[in-house]
Structure formats: C-alpha cells, structure tokens
Amino acid sequence: MVYSSEVAVLQSSKHVSDAMRTLLTRRTTKAHTQSVWVLVDPALHSPLIGSGVRPPHAILPIPNLAEELSPRLIKLDMEQEERAVQRTIEIAAQEVSGDFDDEVHGRPRSICAWIEPISDELSVSARLLADAAKLRLPEGAERSLALRFWDPRITADLITLQSPATWSNHLERCGIAQWWYLDESMSLIPTVFEPIADPSEPVSLPWQPSRDQWQKLHQLGWRNRILHLSQGWACLETPTRASIDTYITQAVNAGLTHETDIVCFVHACLTISSQFDQHPAVQQSLKACKDTSEPGLLQAQSDVWRPALEA
C-alpha cells in the first residue's frame, strides 16, 4: 500500500526531475552562457542558507531594505553544479507543498525564479532588476511601493496586468533571456516567448501603474492572504484563486476598501453564501461602511448581520 504522504513525495520527485530536464535542455537564441541564475528572496525565510550551496551572488539593492533581507541572484553552472541547481528546485517544491508554512508569513516562497541570462553580468542585472521593482505613483495615490515582482505567487498575474510584451521587454533590459518559476502544480513555467522585443511596448522605468492596475495590485495581496487564511475556515467550497478574485471584486463593487472588511466579506462568501450580501441586514452594514470609510466596520457589525442570516 502507498500512503498519501508517500504519493506526495513521489509526485514532488517527478516534478523536480521534470524541472531539471527543462533547465538542462533550455536554450534561447539570445543566451550566450552555460550558467543559470537563481533569484532567492530571504526576506521571509531562507532554507537555502545552510544547505551547502555557496555560489557567486549579487544583491538586488532595494532601497530601505537591509542587505541580509534583500533578494539576490546566485550563479550556478549547469554542467559543474547540477546538484546545487537541483537543490534549489527541491526547496521550491517544498515551499509549494507547504512544508515551511507558518501563521505569520503564510506560504513563503524564497526560491523565486530560475533565469537564463543573456550574458554573465550578474551585478549589472541585479541592479537593473532592483530598478524594475520601483513603482511610480499613479496620480492621487497615497504612497509608493517597491513591487516584489519576482514572487512566484504573483508572477502570472503581473504578466497579465502589465502585458506579456512589457514583462519580456523589462527582462531583456535586465539582461535576461528567460525566466521560469515553479507554479502551484509544481510545473516549471517559462514567461518569455521569442521574439522578445515588441516595438509597440517600449520599456519605461519605473513602471507607473494606472489607477485600475494599482487597485488590482492591492487585490493580489488580499487574495494571497485570504488563500492562506481560508485553510482554517469551514468553507462550503474549496477556495481557488479564481473564486477568491471573484469575491474580492464583489466586495470592492459593494464599496469596501479596507483589507479587514475585504477578508470578512470573502469569509462570509466562502462559509455562508456567495450571495450573503443581498440580505437587508448586510446591505445596511455595507452602506455604513461606504458612507463612513471606517476600517473594520463590516467585521465590527458582524454580530448584527450574522444572526440575521442564520434566522
């Protein structure tokens, strides 16, 4: 008999082997090196430290971020350091599987990407990637952010948000021919498809999101937080990225703007009914939230509208 834990290990091993095969057989017309770079972000946790991997690296100089917490590019030779490359994939697979989950950080991802560089200018690319993390404020926004675009939990969404051509052109400017990340199914996903350059999508840094894009960036953070929190909820359905995105949009359309209220709203969608907000008692609370913009008001009034839903 094969137990579920053993099945998970076997599946993980297969995904690691598949990812290694992808990296070993990779080639693009722009790459001129046998190296692969791994983007590691130790801000939340860093299991690679102490694993025996000690390659050359370059820090991404993110403003106001301590060096020990800053993301870095590490350089590995695919011919001479194959085992080290495999180790990074194994750690990433463990992260996807939830082996490092905790209440504070959710499901942290420290092994973020595998990169096929155009040349071996590691430090130059690290500086340019740091530049690419800077955001120009959309008109009227309250503050600026450094976008952790390398986090694989948001990579696919960000590519869609920016457009594939914009993403590819940013990477090419940083000296990158290909960028892979390990998705939730443990598949190694390429993000650049040749030809890279698209004259209709000029490179402009720092990126300035539109108001709509800015709102969607906030929603990505809400969704990832809710995905983690929902593991402890008695949900009527298995939460997915798509369903949570739908409920977040529903909450925003109802006039909610604060994270506490967004989380409360989605929690009710998942544990009570996706149409819970049609009840008059909930409608009254939503109107109060919209009129006052008081953070956490929907949660504070849940003692009123929850009993009404259950009556």
Side-chain angles (χ1 to χ4, degrees), residues 113-223:
W114 294 264
I115 293 168
E116 185 172 18
I118 295 173
S119 67
D120 273 331
E121 296 180 344
L122 193 70
S123 59
V124 173
S125 289
R127 176 178 55 79
L128 292 172
L129 284 170
D131 288 344
K134 300 174 184 176
L135 294 182
R136 283 191 298 178
L137 292 175
E139 185 178 354
E142 295 178 359
R143 58 192 179 95
S144 61
L145 294 174
L147 179 63
R148 297 177 68 251
F149 66 88
W150 50 82
D151 190 321
R153 295 173 295 183
I154 68 167
T155 299
D157 300 286
L158 186 60
I159 293 171
T160 300
L161 192 60
Q162 288 188 325
S163 85
T166 298
W167 168 267
S168 298
N169 285 338
H170 281 323
L171 294 185
E172 185 176 34
R173 178 183 179 274
C174 295
I176 294 171
Q178 186 56 275
W179 178 293
W180 293 273
Y181 69 95
L182 204 67
D183 72 0
E184 292 181 338
S185 69
M186 292 195 196
S187 297
L188 198 65
I189 306 298
T191 64
V192 177
F193 301 94
E194 298 184 274
I196 294 178
D198 182 349
S200 68
E201 296 282 354
V203 174
S204 177
L205 291 177
W207 178 44
Q208 182 171 14
S210 65
R211 294 293 298 179
D212 181 61
Q213 288 173 323
W214 193 261
Q215 177 63 38
K216 288 178 179 177
L217 285 173
H218 280 293
Q219 291 183 18
L220 290 180
W222 295 338
R223 183 195 66 198

Side-chain angles (χ1 to χ4, degrees), residues 202-274:
V203 174
S204 177
L205 291 177
W207 178 44
Q208 182 171 14
S210 65
R211 294 293 298 179
D212 181 61
Q213 288 173 323
W214 193 261
Q215 177 63 38
K216 288 178 179 177
L217 285 173
H218 280 293
Q219 291 183 18
L220 290 180
W222 295 338
R223 183 195 66 198
N224 287 333
R225 174 165 171 74
I226 291 169
L227 270 172
H228 173 64
L229 291 173
S230 65
Q231 297 173 31
W233 297 347
C235 298
L236 302 174
E237 59 179 280
T238 301
T240 64
R241 288 172 177 263
S243 65
I244 291 174
D245 282 340
T246 297
Y247 297 144
I248 287 175
T249 299
Q250 192 174 324
V252 171
N253 290 341
L256 300 179
T257 58
H258 300 288
E259 181 175 318
T260 302
D261 294 318
I262 299 290
V263 172
C264 179
F265 186 101
V266 177
H267 176 269
C269 285
L270 289 170
T271 61
I272 300 175
S273 167
S274 60

